[in-house]
């Protein structure tokens, strides 16, 4: 249930509170599950189960980043967290290529809304 919440973009602090579990433990669980999904992906490929491997590979990415499928491309950008990637996605920048082609002021506006500057 914890992993389900994490891949559905529930904030880590909220998941930790809901399940009364330290954040570090949750992060370790998330990383271990992503690693295991990667190992099973390789296993499936060697057995010729290519469709199962594709499903698990997709789930591995979601586990690694803690995001929905549509955000996997965006979170490959090193400075985008799941929350920031969701902001870009919701504002129409849904791929890395679209972010790269976007106007500087548009990217700045989205980032400012995602994490407003504090004084």
């Amino acid at each position: 249930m914890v992993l389900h919440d994490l891949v559905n973009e529930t904030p880590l602090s909220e998941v930790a509170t809901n399940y009364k579990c330290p954040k570090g433990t949750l992060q370790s669980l998330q990383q271990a599950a992503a690693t295991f999904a990667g190992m099973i992906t390789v296993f499936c490929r060697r057995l010729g189960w290519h469709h199962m491997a594709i499903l698990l590979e997709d789930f591995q990415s979601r586990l690694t980043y803690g995001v929905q499928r549509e955000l996997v491309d965006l979170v490959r950008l090193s400075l985008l967290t799941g929350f920031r990637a969701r902001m870009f996605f919701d504002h129409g920048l849904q791929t890395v290529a679209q972010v790269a082609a976007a106007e500087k002021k548009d990217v700045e506006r989205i980032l400012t809304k995602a994490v407003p500057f504090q004084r």
Side-chain angles (χ1 to χ4, degrees):
M1 290 172 50
V2 168
L3 293 174
H4 179 268
D5 286 351
L6 291 172
V7 298
N8 284 308
E9 301 176 29
T10 305
L12 184 64
S13 58
E14 187 178 322
V15 175
T17 302
N18 290 345
Y19 294 97
K20 296 176 180 58
C21 189
K23 290 180 188 177
T25 302
L26 295 176
Q27 290 171 320
S28 294
L29 174 64
Q30 185 177 5
Q31 183 60 44
T35 300
F36 184 70
M39 292 187 309
I40 298 301
T41 300
V42 171
F43 179 73
C44 289
R45 280 202 180 104
R46 289 188 180 166
L47 289 175
W49 301 348
H50 301 291
H51 292 90
M52 181 67 81
I54 290 169
L55 288 172
L56 287 168
E57 186 175 43
D58 177 59
F59 194 63
Q60 178 189 9
S61 298
R62 291 184 60 204
L63 281 168
T64 300
Y65 299 116
V67 295
Q68 292 283 334
R69 178 177 298 129
E70 68 259 13
L71 298 184
V72 171
D73 185 45
L74 285 173
V75 292
R76 292 185 307 140
L77 294 170
S78 61
L79 296 177
L80 288 187
T81 61
F83 178 75
R84 289 179 181 162
R86 175 57 62 197
M87 293 292 290
F88 275 88
F89 190 87
D90 291 346
H91 283 88
L93 299 177
Q94 300 177 351
T95 65
V96 172
Q98 288 175 333
V99 173
E103 293 289 326
K104 179 180 167 183
K105 62 181 168 75
D106 294 333
V107 172
E108 182 180 341
R109 182 178 44 83
I110 294 168
L111 286 173
T112 302
K113 284 183 180 179
V115 183
F117 294 105
Q118 297 177 355
R119 295 180 183 190

